[in-house]
Amino acid sequence: MVIEVLMVVGVVLVALPALVIGSARLFHRSGRASTDQRTDRVELVLVVLGRLLGLVLLAALSGITLLSCIGALVQDVTVHSLVYVFFVADLLVAILVLLTVGRLDRRPRRRSTTPARR
């Protein structure tokens, strides 16, 4: 019972925020541009398609894990062993989404100059 609760907490604290952040930044561009417009479009389509595939996989794994764990808690039965595999895969995909899509693009700060000596 404790493991099912920990799995629900792990999905809620890691996978669901990764799903929200990933879906909010689905069409975000990196700022890189080439001279060929067609290459830019193909690259953007491939990046968005890869992100969308990862988010669909993340949503499916999170849904299956949450449904199985909450159902097992309510019915007081044991969880199938494949749910543990889904949970680990869900966490790995969530970390992948957070590391690729979820990072903030901060501009480098300008160094403060020291006043000249007079």
Side-chain angles (χ1 to χ4, degrees):
M1 182 169 141
V2 174
I3 294 176
E4 287 88 2
V5 172
L6 289 176
M7 287 170 60
V8 169
V9 169
V11 169
V12 169
L13 290 181
V14 177
L16 294 182
L19 189 64
V20 170
I21 291 171
S23 62
R25 295 180 53 110
L26 183 64
F27 295 108
H28 180 74
R29 297 190 74 157
S30 65
R32 256 182 359 115
S34 67
T35 57
D36 188 16
Q37 292 294 330
R38 184 166 186 246
T39 305
D40 281 344
R41 274 184 282 171
V42 170
E43 180 184 358
L44 180 65
V45 167
L46 288 176
V47 167
V48 169
L49 192 63
R51 288 177 183 172
L52 188 62
L53 184 65
L55 290 175
V56 167
L57 181 65
L58 181 64
L61 288 172
S62 297
I64 290 170
T65 305
L66 282 176
L67 186 67
S68 298
C69 289
I70 291 173
L73 287 172
V74 170
Q75 295 292 326
D76 197 29
V77 295
T78 59
V79 176
H80 193 273
S81 61
L82 193 59
V83 176
Y84 299 117
V85 175
F86 284 167
F87 174 68
V88 172
D90 188 30
L91 289 183
L92 290 175
V93 172
I95 291 170
L96 179 72
V97 167
L98 286 175
L99 289 177
T100 57
V101 179
R103 68 174 181 246
L104 297 175
D105 291 332
R106 294 184 183 165
R107 298 193 182 264
R109 296 182 67 188
R110 294 185 68 183
R111 295 177 55 188
S112 61
T113 58
T114 58
R117 295 185 184 188
R118 297 185 180 184

